Amino acid sequence: MELCVISTTTAKAINTFLPSITRRVSSRLIQSDSVLQFGRRLKKPISSQLEMSCVSRNFGFLGGSMSHGGDFRLFAAASPAVETSVKEDKLPADLKVTETLQANSSVKLSVEVPPIVCEDCYQRVLTEFMKLSKVPGFRPKTRVPENIIVGFVGRQYVLRATVESILKRTLPHAMESVTGRALKDSIQIVSSFPEMEKAYSKLKTLSYEVVVDVVPELRWNPEDGYKNMKVVVELGDEIDAKKACERQLRQKYKSLGALKIVTDRGLQVGDLAVVDISATTIDEDGSTGQAIPDAESKGFHFDTEEGNRLLPGFLDSIIGIRAGESKSFTLAFPESWKQESLRGQRAQFTVDCKELFYRDLPTLDDSLADKLLPGCTTLKEVEETLAKRCQEMEQEAKDQATDNAILDQIRKMVEVEIPQSLFEEQGRQFYGARLLEIQGNMKLTEDQLASLSSQKAVNEFLETQRESITNIIKQNLAVGDIFKRENLEFSTDELVKEVENSISEFKKHKQEYDEERVKDQVQEILEGAKVLEWLKDRAEIQYITR
């Protein structure tokens, strides 16, 4: 998995659009005369080279794999030079293909192969075996009677190779009905291979079913509703530049003070306490419920000046507590609490105060300027520098909140059935990014890494994060649709410059990269930035502080 590093000029858009759909839907379309990819592994088709030893009889399944349930997953060649195109390989007769729409933007193709096509494939298989087999009494590559070559190779192996040859040769033709709509890595032959062998052996004809994901169709509700949106953006007071500047200056000032043990009083605002916190839910009848792991902490360093960031009422409930004391009290989680399962929940808290400190702070004057912010000589200079930084941060946070609100609104306007292959691809991208983040924050053992990388762990992530993944996909599809609908564009120079900058970042950090994938990701970010710019110019935006 490649980690795409984007240059600073597109960094603003990264939080919104990455991790995103690495290969856009348009780049995942399958052309019927191109090389088809079935699954992740690739093997050579039977028409290219049968790498087998007729002496050892190690024939096996050529270019495919059998699942435990009997379904056959076919894998095609990796090189276009080996795969015969649909136009060049004209079949002796037409296939009968019936298309049936399925859930989640997928299509089932029921394919009936005429006997004359099956016979043609059978003769081709025999010819290939004759070329590669060293049959006693016959010169290499000479014509060998059918009964002899079949007996030499083995009737069952010839049967399997013929069925596979039929599948590989007819599938591109069968896929013509979904040309331009089918998504790569989503094709699966769902018919049982043993059943196909059995049917061909008896009837000398073949029928099979294929399921493929197609480009999802977006429906806007209301139609063109994105053109004149009314967007309400909620801003937290934590991004207010003035308040943020005051907090930063206070934090820097507090860092210059020495912590001293409180011995003669209880906790008061300004102190720092080391506490153990435990909490249990309170049922409707007043009885004690279950523990709340997310609200528990051991050795928590509680800065009372930041008490308003915790549960409302928590600080007031422990004011006056002394080192060695314990206090129990009841609080209710507000309806706006970030964890939905706890909203409105009453809980019993117990706090054990282990240690209690106060800060012995120096006098705040110009002599501390350089310590507060290196390079500054006066407190006024410190305040002005911090204020400028905070104003920039406030604007960035405001812009990001605006982008998020707009994207959330257009997501809610679209109705779409998301293909399973697209969902899994996006989910794996999310999980890969999460795993990289974990690895960056802590050293994982081989066992831990193996456990986190297991299919079970990935599947659990896909299921628990289904809603989030689905929302991101809808958001990206909506953005892409607007870009096309409104004929938006960016210059080639912009794309080339950003790709070059991104690749230089990879080289700088000595990271591997796929240039085409980098280009796709940069193009998607540029498209998203253009769409957001277009939407903001036409939207009525209202800002409120929560």
Side-chain angles (χ1 to χ4, degrees), residues 313-445:
F314 185 88
L315 174 60
D316 293 338
S317 298
I318 62 172
I319 287 292
I321 192 173
R322 292 173 174 261
E325 290 184 351
S326 177
K327 277 193 175 184
S328 294
F329 48 91
T330 300
L331 293 175
F333 289 90
E335 293 297 335
S336 59
W337 194 251
K338 57 185 177 181
Q339 190 172 340
E340 292 185 19
S341 60
L342 292 177
R343 291 175 183 173
Q345 175 66 56
R346 294 177 64 239
Q348 179 73 21
F349 286 84
T350 299
V351 176
D352 297 320
C353 184
K354 301 298 183 181
E355 296 178 274
L356 195 57
F357 301 93
Y358 72 94
R359 289 185 175 86
D360 187 11
L361 297 169
T363 302
L364 185 60
D365 54 29
D366 289 345
S367 64
L368 297 179
D370 188 62
K371 294 180 180 179
L372 292 169
L373 203 62
C376 294
T377 57
T378 65
L379 283 179
K380 183 178 180 181
E381 187 179 0
V382 171
E383 292 171 351
E384 290 175 347
T385 303
L386 287 178
K388 183 179 179 181
R389 290 182 185 177
C390 290
Q391 286 168 2
E392 293 173 352
M393 292 173 62
E394 178 184 20
Q395 188 59 50
E396 289 179 3
K398 186 176 181 179
D399 290 343
Q400 187 62 62
T402 304
D403 291 348
N404 291 341
I406 290 174
L407 291 168
D408 188 57
Q409 192 153 323
I410 63 172
R411 172 186 62 78
K412 294 176 181 178
M413 290 182 182
V414 297
E415 299 173 2
V416 61
E417 291 188 356
I418 297 173
Q420 183 63 22
S421 62
L422 196 59
F423 170 80
E424 291 181 359
E425 180 184 12
Q426 178 73 93
R428 289 191 175 92
Q429 290 289 327
F430 275 144
Y431 191 73
R434 181 77 60 87
L435 201 55
L436 284 174
E437 184 180 354
I438 294 173
Q439 285 180 295
N441 293 335
M442 60 183 291
K443 182 70 174 177
L444 296 175
T445 65

Side-chain angles (χ1 to χ4, degrees), residues 66-80:
M66 185 76 70
S67 69
H68 294 296
D71 290 347
F72 184 67
R73 293 177 178 268
L74 187 62
F75 307 103
S79 171

Side-chain angles (χ1 to χ4, degrees), residues 32-34 45 47 80-90 124 172-173:
S32 63
D33 59 349
S34 67
S47 59
V82 196
E83 187 72 43
T84 305
S85 72
V86 171
K87 295 178 182 178
E88 294 174 354
D89 183 20
K90 185 172 178 60
R124 290 189 179 201
H173 292 269

Side-chain angles (χ1 to χ4, degrees), residues 164-184:
E164 187 176 318
S165 175
I166 295 170
L167 292 174
K168 286 191 175 182
R169 190 176 174 200
T170 61
L171 188 57
H173 292 269
M175 293 292 297
E176 282 188 296
S177 65
V178 289
T179 296
R181 293 188 293 146
L183 301 182
K184 288 181 181 179

Side-chain angles (χ1 to χ4, degrees), residues 263-281:
T263 59
D264 56 351
R265 59 173 176 79
L267 179 71
Q268 62 185 32
V269 176
D271 293 342
L272 185 143
V274 180
V275 297
D276 290 346
I277 305 171
S278 60
T280 56
T281 60

